Amino acid sequence: MKVLIVGGVAGGASAAARLRRLDEKAEIIVFERGEYISFANCGLPYRIGNVITEDSELVLQTPESFKARFNVDIRTLSEVIKILPEEKAVTVKNLQNGEIYKESYDKLILSPGAMPIKPPLPGLDSNKVFTLRTIPDTLRLKSYIDSKKAKKAVVVGGGFIGLEIAENLINDSLSVTLVEKMPHVLPTIDEDVAWDVHDYLIKCGIDLRCNTELVKVVDKDEGIDVVTSNDTIHADLVVLAIGIRPESKLAIEAGIACNERGYIIVDSAMRSSVDDIYAIGDVVAVKEFVTGTSASIALAGPANKQGRIVADQICGIDSRYQGSQGSNVIKLFEKTLASTGITERFAKSQGIDCEKVHLYLSNHASYYPGAEFMAIKIIFEKGTGRILGGQFFGGTGTEKRCDVLAVAIRAGMKATDLVNLDLCYAPPYSSAKDPVVMAGMAIENILTNKVKVTHWNELNKLDKNKVTFLDVRTKGEYADGHVEGFINIPLHELRDRLNELDKEKPVYVNCLSGMRSYVACMILKGHGFDCTNISGGYRLYKVMTKFYKTQENNR
């Protein structure tokens, strides 16, 4: 059996290695347009910030080491320029000598990946404008920064790569302005989590410009002018991190079915619409696990799994890709942002009747040194309790909680099942009630009607004359800031001051994060009041009103 693989790095290299483990006699050829067959794509930004100090550390396997271990014919600097399905062959161009030749196959695996988006705007062909997708891209950017002694950069795009590049440019002593077209960074989180992230990024030194669109760049003798929809920013260099598009031109020309965005359509066995041709990695559309909708999820984990599945299929093992829930994590200076499943925004776009909880909990026992708050948002379906997604922002242990929720989603657990999780506990690592378990308890209270919940943006819909707004924080906290119209009765005084509240009016209760207000609601409910807890409390209200005020100022 002869198997050709177009593209290495994550998916292609994984497929080649698995194929060899399963079949010692198969002829396996990998074509890679670049000079590197397997490199740490996700580690590239960290070379810019000198976290990774040597270029060689980015290379995971050389053609020679891959050949020695797996007996795979690795052909770097070799570009597949045409697929000939009727002949079961591909046309290849040797980029070193220009030779063009054909290579036949029994099975063909497409793993060409994706390319950075470079919009047709004036000035983007300047040698001061960079993208970051390969090792040569990284070396070129690093060399420019060092040789020109660059001091200021503009990063265009607030996705994973844009944020990682921004952080690492700051680590390399550059000042950074980040331009993002959308209202907030990262499409994998909702705005009520994003603004916490925004505040933190600004504190870390990033000049963040959301609702700001790139118009053009103008090369200058000294540096470059970045013209946006709001103003002009002068810098030494620009890094484009706007997004990616699939490298599917070969597939389209060969008549392989792709969707409207150019992603190759595959089934659960990663088979394309053409016999004996498979596709994996950033170039394919896959099933989004929570909703079953089609999605493009460019992450290394799914690409590696897909490579393994294709190898299994070719060798007669009926492995299937079960879909991706997009679990992801990003380091942002000293904090971590992680998410899994779908956002509230996407759930609503799919017509799902969803609810959410916001919690601000310590990452470990509060009395143990170094404890810090973690912001948690979990989205679930109202009628069923099905977990739809979660977003986590905090310090040590943040990604652990996200991983726990990712497993719960994959296992089909209900949100109420989180209460019964038996998770590790010791004061340096968690609390006796882990944050994920606490989230499950909060959701159980809602689903079993122990407490009603509302959200910060629903308060202005209420008639202040027909309800009571109650803040149960301390007098000092209330004096430092509160929502207009809320009266203050500290929680520890509430039972003795119930006569100050009108039982004929529903009571909406606020505290800092929603925890004390929940306790207050249970007290009030026990005394015959109609009570609703405000999820996320004053902390979330303050964050979001600031967010929307900033949005208005930027328009």
Side-chain angles (χ1 to χ4, degrees):
M1 180 172 56
K2 184 177 182 181
V3 181
L4 305 186
I5 302 174
V6 180
V9 193
S14 176
R18 176 69 169 175
L19 273 168
R20 177 56 71 222
R21 288 193 292 269
L22 294 175
D23 187 343
E24 185 62 24
K25 296 180 180 179
E27 182 182 0
I28 306 168
I29 304 173
V30 178
F31 299 101
E32 173 55 51
R33 184 172 55 193
E35 57 185 297
Y36 300 95
I37 186 63
S38 180
F39 63 92
N41 187 281
C42 297
L44 299 180
Y46 299 99
R47 179 68 186 97
I48 303 301
N50 299 310
V51 177
I52 296 171
T53 57
E54 298 294 334
D55 300 339
S56 60
E57 294 175 22
L58 296 169
V59 180
L60 304 178
Q61 289 274 4
T62 64
E64 294 75 22
S65 67
F66 207 93
K67 170 73 174 176
R69 176 173 293 188
F70 297 110
N71 190 27
V72 171
D73 183 356
I74 303 292
R75 302 183 189 178
T76 56
L77 297 172
S78 296
E79 182 177 8
V80 174
I81 57 176
K82 193 170 186 179
I83 301 169
L84 306 164
E86 67 285 352
E87 299 180 33
K88 295 194 74 172
V90 298
T91 304
V92 185
K93 182 177 183 179
N94 185 319
L95 299 180
Q96 292 176 291
N97 59 23
E99 176 195 358
I100 295 176
Y101 62 95
K102 282 185 183 181
E103 195 73 56
S104 65
Y105 64 82
D106 295 310
K107 304 289 182 182
L108 175 64
I109 303 173
L110 301 179
S111 180
M115 68 178 76
I117 292 173
K118 202 169 185 178
L121 298 175
L124 294 188
D125 57 348
S126 167
N127 64 359
K128 298 167 188 170
V129 176
F130 300 85
T131 57
L132 199 67
R133 186 70 178 173
T134 65
I135 289 180
D137 291 339
T138 307
L139 301 183
R140 177 173 165 257
L141 175 56
K142 182 64 176 167
S143 173
Y144 187 89
I145 291 170
D146 293 345
S147 63
K148 301 295 183 182
K149 295 181 172 54
K151 298 297 182 186
K152 182 169 184 179
V154 172
V155 176
V156 182
F160 292 110
I161 298 299
L163 290 175
E164 287 175 342
I165 291 171
E167 174 186 347
N168 281 282
L169 288 170
I170 286 177
N171 288 342
D172 203 27
S173 301
L174 280 77
S175 64
V176 175
T177 299
L178 193 147
V179 173
E180 170 54 53
K181 180 180 178 180
M182 302 304 291
H184 66 76
V185 299
L186 289 173
T188 55
I189 58 175
D190 289 308
E191 61 181 18
D192 43 15
V193 176
W195 193 244
D196 264 335
V197 176
H198 283 199
D199 261 358
Y200 180 68
L201 293 175
I202 291 166
K203 288 174 183 174
C204 290
I206 294 178
D207 178 8
L208 187 58
R209 313 275 185 96
C210 290
N211 286 315
T212 302
E213 193 167 355
L214 178 65
V215 175
K216 63 179 179 179
V217 298
V218 181
D219 212 332
K220 299 286 186 180
D221 290 339
E222 295 295 328
I224 193 166
D225 282 347
V226 182
V227 181
T228 75
S229 53
N230 293 329
D231 56 9
T232 298
I233 308 160
H234 186 74
D236 297 309
L237 61 99
V238 176
V239 181
L240 295 179
I242 297 171
I244 58 173
R245 66 171 180 266
E247 291 255 30
S248 56
K249 184 170 180 277
L250 270 176
I252 292 169
E253 291 175 347
I256 297 170
C258 296
N259 66 17
E260 67 280 358
R261 296 179 60 204
Y263 289 90
I264 298 173
I265 298 170
V266 294
D267 64 11
S268 61
M270 308 311 296
R271 292 179 297 227
S272 76
S273 62
V274 175
D275 289 346
D276 298 318
I277 299 180
Y278 300 79
I280 57 178
D282 295 356
V283 76
V284 302
V286 297
K287 181 180 76 171
E288 191 282 308
F289 183 79
V290 175
T291 62
T293 55
S294 178
S296 54
I297 298 175
L299 294 169
N304 276 282
K305 291 185 188 77
Q306 292 158 15
R308 180 185 177 91
I309 287 166
V310 166
D312 283 358
Q313 286 287 337
I314 290 172
C315 293
I317 301 170
D318 192 24
S319 297
R320 298 280 171 161
Y321 190 65
Q322 302 298 320
S324 176
Q325 60 205 71
S327 300
N328 63 84
V329 63
I330 180 172
K331 174 186 174 295
L332 298 173
F333 298 92
E334 299 303 316
K335 290 190 180 292
T336 298
L337 175 67
S339 68
T340 187
I342 63 174
T343 61
E344 177 189 1
R345 179 180 64 254
F346 184 72
K348 289 180 175 177
S349 76
Q350 297 299 302
I352 299 173
D353 187 16
C354 64
E355 185 55 276
K356 59 191 172 185
V357 291
H358 289 275
L359 300 101
Y360 299 96
L361 302 170
S362 290
N363 61 336
H364 58 65
S366 57
Y367 59 81
Y368 188 86
E372 55 183 307
F373 277 113
M374 179 190 307
I376 300 173
K377 176 181 181 178
I378 295 180
I379 307 107
F380 58 96
E381 193 169 35
K382 282 184 181 178
T384 65
R386 179 169 62 118
I387 306 168
L388 302 174
Q391 298 158 38
F392 303 76
F393 181 56
T396 304
T398 298
E399 76 291 346
K400 167 189 168 181
R401 275 55 185 234
C402 188
D403 282 340
V404 170
L405 195 72
V407 172
I409 292 173
R410 181 65 55 160
M413 295 171 62
K414 305 296 185 186
T416 49
D417 293 329
L418 299 176
V419 174
N420 299 316
L421 293 177
D422 194 351
L423 304 177
C424 297
Y425 163 61
Y429 302 103
S430 185
S431 301
K433 294 177 183 175
D434 186 86
V436 177
V437 174
M438 288 287 285
M441 291 176 175
I443 295 170
E444 183 188 53
N445 287 334
I446 295 168
L447 291 175
T448 56
N449 298 313
K450 290 185 180 69
V451 66
K452 292 190 291 186
V453 67
T454 192
H455 303 283
W456 72 274
N457 57 339
E458 295 169 348
L459 298 180
N460 61 2
K461 301 174 186 176
L462 301 171
D463 186 341
K464 294 181 180 180
N465 296 315
K466 296 181 179 179
V467 302
T468 299
F469 289 136
L470 174 64
D471 190 322
V472 295
R473 294 177 296 154
T474 65
K475 289 183 174 67
E477 288 177 292
Y478 181 83
D480 284 341
H482 58 270
V483 183
E484 185 179 351
F486 275 69
I487 62 171
N488 179 223
I489 301 178
L491 178 61
H492 63 278
E493 299 177 12
L494 182 58
R495 288 186 179 87
D496 295 329
R497 297 175 60 182
L498 290 174
N499 63 321
E500 297 177 30
L501 302 175
D502 185 350
K503 270 193 177 181
E504 300 302 314
K505 291 183 178 181
V507 184
Y508 287 79
V509 190
N510 206 18
C511 69
L512 181 63
S513 66
M515 294 298 292
R516 283 174 288 175
S517 53
Y518 158 67
V519 175
C521 271
M522 299 307 287
I523 293 171
L524 291 167
K525 184 179 178 181
H527 287 273
F529 286 86
D530 177 5
C531 186
T532 299
N533 188 21
I534 301 171
S535 180
Y538 180 68
R539 186 186 188 283
L540 181 61
Y541 180 89
K542 183 178 179 182
V543 162
M544 293 311 298
T545 50
K546 179 181 177 182
F547 173 74
Y548 274 99
K549 185 176 180 180
T550 303
Q551 297 285 70
E552 288 297 323
N553 291 339
N554 286 342
R555 288 192 179 99

